[in-house]
Amino acid sequence: MRDILPDLRARCADGVPLALATVVAVHGSAPRDPGAVMAVDAAGTVVGSVSGGCVEGDLYEVAREVLAGAGPRVVTYGISDDEAFGVGLTCGGTIEVLVRAYVSPAELAALGALLDLIAADRPVAEATVLSGAAETGARLVVRPSDAGPATGTLGSEGLDAAVTDDARGLLAQGYTAIQWYGAHGQRRMQEVAVFIRTYAPPPRMLVFGAIDHAAATARIGSFLGYRVTVCDARPAFATRERFPTADEVVRAWPHTYLESTEVDARTVICVLTHDPKFDVPLLLAALRTPAAYIGVMGSRRTHHDRLARLREAGADEAALARLASPVGLDLGARTPEETAVSIAAEVIQHRWGGTGRPLGELTGAIHHGETS
């Protein structure tokens, strides 16, 4: 959704009817994760993609039918579908796609309001009925409890309450999922399928040490969708000119800044300072956070020396096991840019549980883990 936000917001603002095709489930290998969106407007213009080109041609026709009044529906493409080869999805996976139209001024205004929240990086979740004892396409927009009540309805007060509660839980974790309920929100029943798409603010990447490797790491972090902060205590190095792609450049002692900034379970910390007077207090602070990844630059000798210093400072073995050091995967990297790629590869591997080995040497599923 974020990659086509400007296009969608412009159409909503101009009152242009459109249909959104959203991937709601993936089984096996598929090119895009749940939440991927393709839009078709009243003029027939297409923006976005749900499969990288495999099913877009067929889905375009479905979207046009929905725009013409056919009503929202869920369509399935994949190896088990008789038409799979005809639409081009030959990679062995199955995707389910919800196609829903936004035509009236009220519908476009409601969609525009959601898109505005996403563009402003405000946490929000959208719950949409897929099937069962509720109207397909009914939607509920949910924000954190301190940001106000949910808007819209799925058809019953009980269902709205149950989905609101679950959507807030998924939003806090950054997960997207299909949940099942009874017609009035009863738990452990499978009468209504609801797709809950969460839009949490981008995860953070905190890069410590304003060196050339940090500049390259900041660039690839931004490319991967992180909100990147570069921090260094040296004013001559921590400058906007040296880190134009970073979202912010902070001049502060690394451990002091880390102790005062927000870190959650999606945050990536890259310690590239390579100096004990920065590293040890910074890593002690990092190990007290719930960060998803803590990578530390340095040779194996430097790493062993650093571990000894951290043990002396009170860090236990369970905490030290969280450190990815020397940082990055073994790609034979030499330049700062190549090193940044190896760091990014390890971050991705850590997030999804990959092996880091060439796919050609492996069998089984290509994609790992769940969407977050």
Side-chain angles (χ1 to χ4, degrees):
M1 177 75 85
R2 291 182 188 275
D3 55 342
I4 59 172
L5 264 180
D7 295 294
L8 296 182
R9 294 179 72 197
R11 285 164 173 76
C12 288
D14 293 340
V16 177
L18 55 87
L20 291 185
T22 305
V23 177
V24 296
V26 170
H27 309 284
S29 176
R32 301 291 301 275
D33 289 325
V37 171
M38 182 182 89
V40 180
D41 68 18
T45 304
V46 178
V47 292
S49 170
V50 298
S51 73
C54 296
V55 306
E56 274 72 5
D58 186 80
L59 197 55
Y60 174 83
E61 299 301 330
V62 175
R64 296 286 284 173
E65 292 172 7
V66 171
L67 264 176
R73 56 174 148 154
V74 177
V75 291
T76 301
Y77 300 100
I79 197 67
S80 61
D81 190 326
D82 291 339
E83 298 177 349
F85 187 80
V87 299
L89 191 65
T90 58
C91 54
T94 301
I95 63 172
E96 297 177 35
V97 184
L98 169 68
V99 186
R100 187 192 192 282
Y102 298 81
V103 176
S104 71
E107 290 173 331
L108 288 167
L111 177 60
L114 171 66
L115 299 176
D116 289 344
L117 290 172
I118 298 170
D121 285 337
R122 302 290 179 83
V124 63
E126 180 186 31
T128 309
V129 173
L130 299 181
S131 63
E135 181 182 355
T136 299
R139 61 193 290 273
L140 186 71
V141 175
V142 181
R143 300 189 63 193
S145 56
D146 60 358
T151 58
T153 182
L154 303 182
S156 77
E157 184 176 340
L159 183 57
D160 289 348
V163 172
T164 295
D165 185 53
D166 287 349
R168 286 174 173 157
L170 290 169
L171 185 58
Q173 300 175 63
Y175 290 136
T176 286
I178 294 177
Q179 303 283 77
W180 288 86
Y181 304 89
H184 298 284
Q186 303 96 319
R187 307 288 182 177
R188 300 184 181 180
M189 296 184 70
Q190 296 197 359
E191 295 178 347
V192 182
V194 180
F195 177 61
I196 303 176
R197 173 70 166 109
T198 64
Y199 298 93
R204 301 190 70 189
M205 174 180 282
L206 306 179
V207 182
F208 294 97
I211 61 176
D212 289 346
H213 289 80
T217 301
R219 289 196 295 275
I220 201 165
S222 295
F223 177 76
L224 292 176
Y226 287 91
R227 180 164 68 88
V228 178
T229 298
V230 176
C231 176
D232 196 295
R234 301 167 296 177
F237 292 87
T239 65
R240 170 56 62 187
E241 291 74 19
R242 299 189 70 230
F243 300 96
T245 63
D247 294 280
E248 58 182 348
V249 179
V250 176
R251 298 172 184 174
W253 279 83
H255 73 282
T256 301
Y257 173 73
L258 184 58
E259 290 170 345
S260 65
T261 196
E262 181 180 355
V263 175
D264 63 22
R266 299 185 301 150
T267 302
V268 167
I269 297 175
C270 298
V271 178
L272 313 181
T273 46
H274 205 191
D275 185 330
K277 70 175 177 291
F278 292 117
D279 288 359
V280 173
L282 172 58
L283 290 173
L284 290 172
L287 291 171
R288 291 192 291 267
T289 73
Y293 172 89
I294 306 172
V296 195
M297 178 170 280
S299 66
R300 298 188 191 283
R301 179 176 179 179
T302 298
H303 175 60
H304 290 309
D305 176 70
R306 185 187 293 126
L307 290 178
R309 292 171 184 268
L310 289 169
R311 290 188 182 99
E312 290 175 2
D316 61 28
E317 297 306 312
L320 295 177
R322 296 178 60 197
L323 300 180
S325 179
V327 69
L329 295 186
D330 178 19
L331 304 181
R334 294 179 180 272
T335 68
E337 289 74 19
E338 290 174 346
T339 301
V341 170
S342 77
I343 294 172
E346 186 173 51
V347 168
I348 295 168
Q349 177 202 24
H350 188 85
R351 180 181 182 187
W352 297 112
T355 65
R357 294 173 56 196
L359 289 171
E361 296 179 0
L362 304 174
T363 59
I366 293 175
H367 303 291
H368 296 256
E370 298 178 350
T371 301
S372 64

